[in-house]
Amino acid sequence: MALPIQNLASHLITFFILISCITIPATAKNHNFVKSLDRKSLQIGKEKISHFRVYWHDIVSGRSPTSVPIVKSYSNISSTAFGLIRMIDNPLTEGPDVKSKLIGRAQGFYGSAAQEDVSLLMSMNFAFCEGKYNGSTITVFGRNHVFSKVREMPVIGGSGLFRFARGYAQASTHTFDLKTGDAVVMYNVYVMHY
């Protein structure tokens, strides 16, 4: 026998009142796993902005490539290599020559993320190994429209001297070898940090 609509509605209202009586006290209590901090306890000083210019060497050829495919494109007809993912450990140098002073490594991956044009999803840490920045990282994550003269990607964080970092990176291709697929890209990175 079906319940009249009024009885069903009154049972639902009673049910929701009971549930809220149980959940409201549980969510209102004090949480021990989170607390507010002040800047002094984290030794955070005044925010500053830094500009880095580095050269990113994507070496896909030879005996010791720094960029290797980890997922191949599943489409044989894609002119953009849609779906291809490469893991990278690319040198970051002071000048465009790979033999110039090593500043750090770009470690992460990039993938071909567009079907209509050549656009990459870049996810990498610039892990510095030089001077006071040794051991610190800047994290870049974003879209790289490869054939644009200048591509802009966000800086979404960092570690070491770049804790709480934010900013942007501008990439512009310095050289690209059609035979080998190797590329040198200049990155201008503008980062706000403490």
Side-chain angles (χ1 to χ4, degrees):
M1 180 172 188
L3 289 173
I5 296 279
Q6 288 119 350
N7 281 347
L8 181 60
S10 99
H11 288 303
L12 283 174
I13 291 170
T14 305
F15 173 75
F16 286 119
I17 290 171
L18 287 172
I19 291 297
S20 63
C21 289
I22 294 169
T23 58
I24 289 173
T27 57
K29 69 179 178 179
N30 211 358
H31 296 288
N32 294 326
F33 64 90
V34 64
K35 64 180 179 178
S36 295
L37 297 174
D38 64 357
R39 291 175 179 263
K40 289 179 185 177
S41 68
L42 291 176
Q43 299 175 344
I44 294 176
K46 188 176 179 184
E47 190 172 36
K48 54 189 158 241
I49 186 166
S50 298
H51 170 234
F52 294 87
R53 186 184 67 216
V54 296
Y55 289 85
W56 181 88
H57 300 268
D58 195 45
I59 304 166
V60 299
S61 67
R63 292 181 147 187
S64 297
T66 62
S67 176
V68 296
I70 56 171
V71 175
K72 294 186 179 187
S73 174
Y74 288 105
S75 174
N76 293 331
I77 60 171
S78 173
S79 62
T80 66
F82 177 66
L84 172 72
I85 300 175
R86 291 184 164 275
M87 188 63 64
I88 64 169
D89 185 17
N90 291 347
L92 296 173
T93 61
E94 194 171 65
D97 186 337
V98 74
K99 294 176 185 168
S100 63
K101 186 175 185 177
L102 184 70
I103 304 297
R105 314 263 333 161
Q107 298 171 328
F109 64 89
Y110 63 83
S112 180
Q115 295 182 47
E116 301 295 323
D117 58 13
V118 182
S119 291
L120 306 174
L121 169 66
M122 309 287 293
S123 176
M124 60 186 165
N125 286 312
F126 285 7
F128 293 99
C129 64
E130 177 60 30
K132 73 177 189 176
Y133 301 107
N134 184 21
S136 296
T137 65
I138 293 173
T139 303
V140 176
F141 183 84
R143 179 178 186 256
N144 181 345
H145 187 254
V146 175
F147 292 120
S148 294
K149 185 174 180 174
V150 177
R151 290 89 68 190
E152 186 172 298
M153 292 162 274
V155 169
I156 62 166
S159 67
L161 292 177
F162 300 110
R163 290 182 188 135
F164 301 109
R166 64 192 192 285
Y168 64 97
Q170 292 181 321
S172 52
T173 303
H174 183 268
T175 57
F176 177 70
D177 188 324
L178 285 171
K179 283 189 215 173
T180 64
D182 295 347
V184 178
V185 178
M186 181 177 66
Y187 274 84
N188 280 291
V189 182
Y190 301 87
V191 61
M192 296 179 79
H193 59 101
Y194 294 95

